[in-house]
Amino acid sequence: MSVFLPDTNERDLSKYAISLQQLANGRSNATGSVTLASGATSTTVSAINCASGSAVFLFPRTANAAAALSGTFVGTAGKQSFTITHANNAQTDRTFFYVCLG
């Protein structure tokens, strides 16, 4: 779930209050889900809040993702994206939740 972000020129303080309430309730623009590319050894994820030096955490969403977890890691994080390195596999349901912080 993403957070409502008012425009930087917004003058209505209630819109900023809504954003803060959503953050306090657990919403964040730093989360998402990704399915690992089949037949490849890496998957690149577009993540608008990601930057070089960000910490990316993966959480398996499916059984095949859980089985692949030990050989799956975030290789690089960069401006608005990160790359996951993983085993070459034909499975199409290795789906993970992610959180990108920093």
Side-chain angles (χ1 to χ4, degrees):
M1 298 175 84
S2 62
V3 144
F4 166 74
L5 284 176
D7 187 77
T8 55
N9 297 321
E10 182 60 57
R11 297 196 184 277
D12 183 354
L13 294 181
S14 67
K15 292 185 179 180
Y16 288 101
I18 290 168
S19 292
L20 292 173
Q21 288 171 341
Q22 290 176 342
L23 284 169
N25 286 329
R27 288 190 177 198
S28 172
N29 292 337
T31 64
S33 65
V34 57
T35 300
L36 300 182
S38 62
T41 59
S42 66
T43 301
T44 301
V45 181
S46 294
I48 195 164
N49 286 341
C50 196
S52 179
S54 290
V56 181
F57 303 94
L58 299 173
F59 306 93
R61 181 177 182 181
T62 62
N64 283 332
L69 187 59
S70 66
T72 302
F73 61 94
V74 176
T76 60
K79 183 177 181 182
Q80 298 183 338
S81 69
F82 61 91
T83 302
I84 302 170
T85 302
H86 53 82
N88 185 338
N89 191 308
Q91 294 171 329
T92 59
D93 66 341
R94 295 178 296 165
T95 303
F96 290 84
F97 293 112
Y98 69 82
V99 177
C100 184
L101 302 173

